[in-house]
Amino acid sequence: MTTAVRTRNTSLVVGAVLVGLVVVTALVSFAWTPHDPLLVDAAVRLRGPGGDYLLGTDKFGRDIASQLMVGARTTLYVGVVAVGIAAVVGTPLGILAGMSRNWLGELVMRVNDLVLAFPALLLAIMFGAVYGASTLTAMIAIGIATVPSFARIARSGTLQVMGTEYVLAARAAGRSRRWIAGRHVLPNISGLLLVQSSVSFAIAVLAEAALSFLGFGTRPPTPSWGRMLQESQELLAVEPRLALVPGAAIAIAVLGFNLLGDGLRDRFDPRLEARR
Amino acid sequence: MISVEGLTRTYRRPRTSLFGARPEVRALRGVSFDIQAGGRFGIVGESGSGKSTLVHLLAALDRPTSGSISFRGRRIDTLPERRLGFLRSELQIVFQDPLGSLDPRMRVRDIIREPLGRAPGGRERVAELLDAVGLPADSGERYPHQFSGGQRQRISIARALAPRPSVLIADEAVSALDVLVRAQILDLLADLVERFDLTLVFVSHDLAVVRRLCDTVAVMRQGEIVELGAVDEVYDDPRHPYTRELIAAAPSLRGALARLEEG
């Protein structure tokens, strides 16, 4: 029982590899890129892949491989900040709602439903219109829109933990609600939250790409996968490569985080918890 | 020590339809008894008889619908949580499920010293308690899932003893254990009650187990006490038909052991 054999978790492995690929690419881009991703050079515009330019150049003669690498930074940056906001705001709200048995918990969840009903992209476009489009406003808007999913997960996990005998024992021992939240609830729902983070990260990556594509996200000249897609639009018929490359990158990142989330879910399934 | 007077507790279920009345469950319907200091009070009844509700009320984890509970002469059913500090260290519970009552994410030493809060000197106390309940000294570093059912119940008992309580409530504390381990834990409980001069409230559905440990017994059925008296009297001369039923139905520990030896 102490040395339980773990079944192979393919989702976790593949997801971790894909996410690792994106992370490593972003990290390497700080130290080295094949070319300056922002260097405009009309002489080499729309070069095909191969030779000096691994993935070719775009309509301004910028190196696509370099843009892709720096774009990975933007993607991860947005994901980390958006999921961070959602987790930091949503988790305490969910725990509060799960632990309070009066109107307060009910109120939190109803407001939560309200935000949940509001589309993330619409919120981001409104933010962009009011505060000016930028990576920052996109991140904050995506973060706010992701808060409810964290609050929900945290609440349902909290309700489960609050029903256990170890919480009853802690109450009988005179421990405060804050103690119970910190010592019992949070550690026991951390697995759920990790899964939610990974899944939310995938959604955030997609949302950032969509916003940049619409012109409400990352501003030029900062490379972003969504903006690369947008810039490829007018040349789609002639140079589909320009859309396929950032498209594939987005797909890899989203798939990676989703698989990672699935893999983590298998690992942290509360029904398996007791047997761990 | 503990005095219970006319205790009732009615739960309201969530309404099943929008305009329907909320169905009520009367878990306790007027229960009264006294527990003497140093007494060993058994509460027997089948599941759903209100035993657990009663335990929760005795530990002030829940509020009665009516009636009163006094602990050393002080009403505890009306006090707010922040003024229940004295009860929290004086009265402790050992729960039924030896795994469910231990946080899977906590080390045993943290579980055992949880009732002490942030008070210093926990390390020696944990070592003392591990020794008292017969667990190896290095158990503190491990996690609950690394122990057997009987050992987990020992951890649970160690935690309950940590704040040096004067009253120990065992809520079906041996029901989830197999017969031999059950006998060991019962011996341990009897030993500890003796050694630390505890008042014991022992809740079980098994009259034979209660008989082994307690001097007084209350037989509960459907939220009421149907019979209350010295355990031997109740056992040898049951007055209520339900008590007779219980005695006839419950397999005795001795019988079970005998069968085990035969098989």
Side-chain angles (χ1 to χ4, degrees):
Chain A
M1 191 163 166
T2 45
T3 53
V5 181
R6 288 234 159 78
T7 47
R8 203 181 310 157
N9 193 333
T10 317
S11 299
L12 189 67
V13 174
V14 176
V17 167
L18 294 181
V19 169
L21 193 69
V22 177
V23 172
V24 168
T25 306
L27 289 178
V28 169
S29 80
F30 281 103
W32 173 83
T33 51
H35 294 271
D36 180 350
L38 303 181
L39 185 72
V40 175
D41 186 352
V44 293
R45 60 192 296 266
L46 294 175
R47 283 275 175 91
D52 198 18
Y53 299 94
L54 188 63
L55 294 171
T57 60
D58 67 6
K59 60 184 173 183
F60 300 117
R62 294 178 299 194
D63 178 37
I64 289 180
S66 304
Q67 284 200 65
L68 204 63
M69 288 174 71
V70 178
R73 285 189 336 216
T74 311
T75 296
L76 291 178
Y77 182 41
V78 170
V80 166
V81 174
V83 170
I85 291 173
V88 166
V89 178
T91 306
L93 282 177
I95 292 178
L96 181 73
M99 287 183 75
S100 81
R101 282 182 290 174
N102 51 22
W103 55 269
L104 186 64
E106 200 60 25
L107 181 74
V108 167
M109 289 324 286
R110 293 293 80 82
V111 172
N112 207 48
D113 287 343
L114 214 66
V115 179
L116 193 66
F118 210 83
L121 284 183
L122 190 59
L123 189 71
I125 290 170
M126 280 167 52
F127 266 53
V130 176
Y131 300 105
S134 72
T135 313
L136 188 70
T137 52
M139 289 187 305
I140 293 175
I142 296 168
I144 291 174
T146 316
V147 165
S149 60
F150 268 89
R152 279 185 161 233
I153 289 285
R155 176 174 173 270
S156 72
T158 302
L159 285 175
Q160 217 165 19
V161 173
M162 290 307 284
T164 60
E165 283 192 335
Y166 56 80
V167 167
L168 218 50
R171 287 180 55 209
R175 297 280 70 86
S176 64
R177 286 162 160 273
R178 199 184 301 174
W179 173 291
I180 291 171
R183 294 289 183 112
H184 295 294
V185 176
L186 199 56
N188 279 292
I189 65 170
S190 58
L192 286 175
L193 294 176
L194 199 62
V195 172
Q196 186 60 34
S197 297
S198 193
V199 174
S200 297
F201 208 109
I203 298 171
V205 167
L206 208 55
E208 190 274 336
L211 283 171
S212 298
F213 181 82
L214 294 171
F216 283 97
T218 308
R219 307 287 294 167
T222 313
S224 143
W225 295 348
R227 268 228 353 284
M228 289 169 76
L229 266 184
Q230 185 210 4
E231 286 164 2
S232 75
Q233 207 181 0
E234 56 191 90
L235 294 170
L236 199 57
V238 208
E239 286 284 357
R241 166 182 58 93
L242 293 179
L244 285 176
V245 170
I250 293 167
I252 286 175
V254 171
L255 186 67
F257 280 106
N258 270 327
L259 284 175
L260 189 65
D262 278 355
L264 291 171
R265 194 190 317 264
D266 290 345
R267 185 79 178 267
F268 288 108
D269 192 320
R271 279 166 297 178
L272 302 171
E273 192 83 355
R275 271 179 273 150
R276 262 193 339 120
Chain B
M1 190 77 160
I2 298 174
S3 180
V4 172
E5 191 62 51
L7 210 59
T8 70
R9 179 70 173 94
T10 305
Y11 292 105
R12 309 190 84 192
R13 285 259 185 77
R15 60 184 87 236
T16 45
S17 72
L18 188 56
F19 300 106
R22 297 176 61 175
E24 291 189 341
V25 179
R26 296 170 67 194
L28 285 182
R29 339 176 163 214
V31 169
S32 305
F33 57 83
D34 286 294
I35 301 175
Q36 305 302 320
R40 297 167 187 194
F41 194 84
I43 298 172
V44 179
E46 59 197 358
S47 36
S49 60
K51 293 172 300 181
S52 291
T53 304
L54 183 57
V55 166
H56 290 180
L57 290 174
L58 286 178
L61 295 171
D62 188 14
R63 306 266 150 161
T65 308
S66 69
S68 69
I69 311 167
S70 305
F71 183 86
R72 290 190 197 277
R74 289 169 77 175
R75 284 282 293 269
I76 58 165
D77 53 300
T78 48
L79 282 183
E81 180 65 43
R82 67 195 148 76
R83 291 182 56 199
L84 280 170
F86 73 100
L87 184 75
R88 297 300 179 216
S89 54
E90 285 240 35
L91 182 146
Q92 284 288 309
I93 310 180
V94 177
F95 290 97
Q96 170 174 16
D97 181 359
L99 193 54
S101 59
L102 305 174
D103 188 334
R105 304 254 164 183
M106 271 174 131
R107 284 182 199 278
V108 168
R109 65 171 142 82
D110 294 322
I111 291 174
I112 292 178
R113 73 177 168 210
E114 181 171 43
L116 305 174
R118 291 182 217 284
R123 186 185 294 259
E124 299 81 53
R125 186 75 184 128
V126 168
E128 233 174 86
L129 289 161
L130 284 175
D131 182 56
V133 298
L135 282 172
D138 64 351
S139 305
E141 294 306 308
R142 295 195 275 159
Y143 288 90
H145 68 92
Q146 294 171 290
F147 293 86
S148 69
Q151 287 176 315
R152 284 183 203 136
Q153 209 53 302
R154 288 173 194 265
I155 297 170
S156 210
I157 293 169
R159 167 178 59 193
L161 294 177
R164 303 180 200 277
S166 52
V167 178
L168 188 67
I169 301 182
D171 183 7
E172 296 275 14
V174 297
S175 308
L177 305 173
D178 60 56
V179 178
L180 289 173
V181 178
R182 180 183 302 181
Q184 292 169 3
I185 299 294
L186 284 175
D187 284 344
L188 175 69
L189 275 175
D191 176 47
L192 292 171
V193 164
E194 189 87 17
R195 204 160 128 199
F196 297 114
D197 207 13
L198 298 171
T199 303
L200 179 71
V201 180
F202 191 89
V203 180
S204 178
H205 62 271
D206 189 345
L207 191 54
V209 171
V210 168
R211 190 189 192 192
R212 202 172 136 159
L213 217 54
C214 302
D215 49 36
T216 312
V217 64
V219 181
M220 288 192 71
R221 189 192 189 188
Q222 292 174 359
E224 286 172 319
I225 291 182
V226 296
E227 191 156 0
L228 175 67
V231 73
D232 288 328
E233 279 172 36
V234 172
Y235 202 84
D236 293 334
D237 181 21
R239 289 171 196 281
H240 195 278
Y242 178 67
T243 314
R244 277 184 221 129
E245 236 174 88
L246 263 187
I247 293 171
S252 71
L253 196 61
R254 204 158 288 142
L257 280 171
R259 275 196 297 282
L260 208 70
E261 275 161 14
E262 282 164 21

